[in-house]
Amino acid sequence: MKASKIDGRIFAENLRKKVRQAVTQLPDSPALAVVLVGEDPASQVYVASKVKFTEECGMNSLEYKLPADTKETEVVNLVKKLNENDKVDGILVQLPLPEGMNSDNVIKEIHPDKDVDGLTEASAGRLSLGKSGLRPCTPTGCVMLAKDELGDLSGKHCVVLGRSILVGKPAALLFLEQNCTVTIAHSRTKNLEAVCKSADILIAAVGRPQMVQASWIKKGACIIDVGINRVPSVKRPGKTRLVGDVNYTTAKDVAGSITPVPGGVGPMTIACLLRNTVIAACARRNWETPSILNF
Ligand code: NDP
């Protein structure tokens, strides 16, 4: 058996189309404010993509670029101003912030109604209490891909490998929300291979290149690989290539379906951010959320 490839690029493109369509149904265009502090090259690329896709979806994009030596209080003050700006529906502070700046102090200032990254304590609390709110983007993308592949997830055993605040923990809660039986595995988990092998759905979010081997996978399982790891290229000496946390080459012979890296979960993150911006705008401005965004 060979696993079917879960194509996150196509799924994300379709989701962006749905966001664009949803925006046309609204009385006004939502606006996303993106704050970038410093000149980290990867962050600059991410922010440029976020701006491009926001505009492509018919929404307004407001970009705030601050030098790396900006004081933490100035970033906090900017976030406070964006909270008060009635034209702004979503606020995203690009992480990581420059060394010496405490991202918690900045993120906690984002108003929960504008927290399109779903990273504030209020958003995390709403998620764990099962209350409506803005959900973190990457884990939401994982649920969307799994549901698209498997349909109803009720009763399936989902193992989330990794317990970070950004990915693992919210992913576990989101799969629980889908009525999965959820196990969270991490660096202290005993018999990790056996735990992973018991999964109908395996979410790999460890940041360890190709750690999950074919022998860790139950026959026919759905594998969602969140990992993005840069490793030396064998074919092109001196160059690097991206691999996930799962050994795709061997895993695909055992799994039922699997996301590739790149082209799996990665593209879903921005698409879910755009969706969150529309959801935030609708909740804040008392508009009905277009049903095309449901999943
Ligand atoms: P973190 O480093 O914050 O968390 C990694 C988690 O993996 C921790 O909970 C850690 O356990 C666990 N872990 C590490 N090593 C092992 C091990 N040997 N055995 C078992 N568990 C282990 O990473 P993130 O959650 O932020 O990211 C995970 C991966 O996802 C990274 O590759 C990152 O680049 C990628 N990513 C991709 C995104 C996308 O858009 N596709 C977005 C965000 C992240 P413990 O808590 O015990 O230390």
Side-chain angles (χ1 to χ4, degrees), residues 138 162-164 186-187 192 205-208 211 226-229 266 269:
T138 304
R163 57 173 167 180
S164 72
H186 46 80
S187 66
L192 192 58
V206 270
R208 304 262 181 247
M211 187 175 100
V226 185
I228 302 177
N229 309 290
T269 302

Side-chain angles (χ1 to χ4, degrees), residues 13-245:
E13 195 183 318
N14 284 333
L15 181 55
R16 291 198 303 273
K17 277 187 196 152
K18 286 182 187 174
V19 171
R20 191 158 58 223
Q21 204 178 321
V23 169
T24 63
Q25 295 168 21
L26 302 177
D28 198 2
S29 291
L32 173 65
V34 182
V35 178
L36 173 64
V37 188
E39 283 90 34
D40 178 66
S43 293
Q44 284 177 331
V45 172
Y46 289 139
V47 165
S49 308
K50 285 167 188 173
V51 168
K52 174 178 157 241
F53 287 129
T54 303
E55 289 171 350
E56 264 182 33
C57 287
M59 298 193 280
N60 299 321
S61 171
L62 307 161
E63 235 184 310
Y64 297 85
K65 289 188 176 171
L66 306 173
D69 60 0
T70 306
K71 290 201 175 72
E72 192 178 291
T73 48
E74 285 177 54
V75 184
V76 165
N77 286 339
L78 171 60
V79 168
K80 284 182 177 167
K81 262 208 240 160
L82 295 171
N83 284 338
E84 283 158 20
N85 185 341
D86 199 41
K87 293 205 173 87
V88 171
D89 296 292
I91 303 169
L92 180 139
V93 176
Q94 184 65 43
L95 299 177
L97 287 169
E99 234 171 87
M101 208 178 276
N102 184 335
S103 55
D104 285 349
N105 291 344
V106 176
I107 298 297
K108 77 171 189 217
E109 294 299 335
I110 298 174
H111 192 289
D113 294 348
K114 298 189 178 189
D115 177 23
V116 283
D117 244 352
L119 293 181
T120 60
E121 288 176 14
S123 296
R126 287 177 184 181
L127 171 59
S128 70
L129 293 175
K131 297 197 168 164
S132 66
L134 294 162
R135 306 305 196 212
C137 300
T138 304
T140 301
C142 295
V143 175
M144 282 184 174
L145 293 178
K147 269 192 94 168
D148 186 59
E149 188 61 29
L150 303 174
D152 182 14
L153 303 182
S154 289
K156 298 212 181 290
H157 184 205
C158 175
V159 173
V160 180
L161 183 47
R163 57 173 167 180
S164 72
I165 289 169
L166 194 63
V167 188
K169 271 189 201 165
L173 288 165
L174 286 168
F175 278 94
L176 186 63
E177 213 168 58
Q178 296 294 323
N179 300 313
C180 286
T181 303
V182 177
T183 301
I184 305 175
H186 46 80
S187 66
R188 312 287 173 91
T189 297
K190 302 233 175 356
N191 302 322
L192 192 58
E193 179 172 341
V195 171
C196 292
K197 204 166 181 157
S198 67
D200 302 313
I201 305 165
L202 178 63
I203 313 300
V206 270
R208 304 262 181 247
Q210 302 179 315
M211 187 175 100
V212 176
Q213 301 297 322
S215 60
W216 297 33
I217 294 171
K218 187 202 275 189
K219 204 166 191 286
C222 173
I223 312 296
I224 308 286
D225 189 353
V226 185
I228 302 177
N229 309 290
R230 203 164 269 289
V231 296
S233 165
V234 179
K235 285 186 193 148
R236 296 185 305 155
K239 304 271 183 202
T240 58
R241 69 185 180 108
L242 290 183
V243 297
D245 290 343

Side-chain angles (χ1 to χ4, degrees), residues 1-3 202 212-221 223 225 246-259:
M1 187 178 75
K2 207 165 175 209
L202 178 63
V212 176
Q213 301 297 322
S215 60
W216 297 33
I217 294 171
K218 187 202 275 189
K219 204 166 191 286
I223 312 296
D225 189 353
V246 178
N247 186 331
Y248 185 89
T249 315
T250 58
K252 71 177 182 342
D253 293 333
V254 185
S257 50
I258 183 167
T259 57

